[in-house]
Amino acid sequence: MGFDEEWGRLRAEAAGRAAAEQPPTAVAEAPARNRLAEFRGRLVLVPHDERGGLWTAPLGGMDWICAFSDEAALARFAQARDETDRAWDFRRVPGAWLLDEVIPALDFPCGVALDAAGPDGTVFPPVRGIVPDSVALDGPVAA
């Protein structure tokens, strides 16, 4: 077997191994994609602020809409804030609506924090793949 044939065989073997192995980022991304898909397809609770709008909290130089999976998660949040004595009015909204309609309508960068103060808390920052590219911080307008 000549060099060209041997080189071709080695390249084919390497390509086969590379296709069979998932990069570490792909393995780590799968649960995040699943969590995002789950969030998009469910109704979540979003407390009202004092003006009747969606309640947000600043963190890391950006605002986050606080959303909760259920009333127990909202109660944990209220307890963590030592605000269990007040009424937490909320509305049920689709997660996809928050990401696809609400965030693009805002005039400031905002993400969604799901189940803050809980063991399974998740954040959905305003980046490509989560919100529309036109409002993503890493989207074409921001670049």
Side-chain angles (χ1 to χ4, degrees):
M1 178 183 303
F3 175 79
D4 290 337
E5 292 85 16
E6 181 67 15
W7 179 247
R9 185 184 66 75
L10 291 172
R11 287 187 62 199
E13 286 176 10
R17 282 192 308 272
E21 298 173 0
Q22 288 189 349
T25 55
V27 173
E29 288 173 358
R33 280 193 306 273
N34 293 342
R35 185 79 167 160
L36 176 60
E38 179 184 305
F39 174 74
R40 287 182 151 284
R42 74 182 311 177
L43 289 177
V44 294
L45 311 180
V46 180
H48 294 140
D49 65 13
E50 61 278 351
R51 296 180 315 260
L54 301 179
W55 201 75
T56 61
L59 179 66
M62 189 167 67
D63 285 354
W64 298 85
I65 297 169
C66 295
F68 301 92
S69 298
D70 52 35
E71 290 183 40
L74 177 55
R76 280 192 303 273
F77 180 73
Q79 185 174 19
R81 293 180 53 84
D82 198 26
E83 294 185 41
T84 55
D85 56 332
R86 77 172 185 91
W88 284 81
D89 295 327
F90 61 85
R91 64 189 283 194
R92 293 180 196 277
V93 300
W97 180 73
L98 291 173
L99 299 174
D100 298 337
E101 303 294 329
V102 173
I103 289 176
L106 298 173
D107 60 356
F108 55 91
C110 189
V112 176
L114 177 65
D115 294 339
D120 295 324
T122 304
V123 294
F124 300 105
V127 296
R128 287 183 293 174
I130 296 178
V131 298
D133 288 355
S134 61
V135 296
L137 293 179
D138 62 341
V141 174

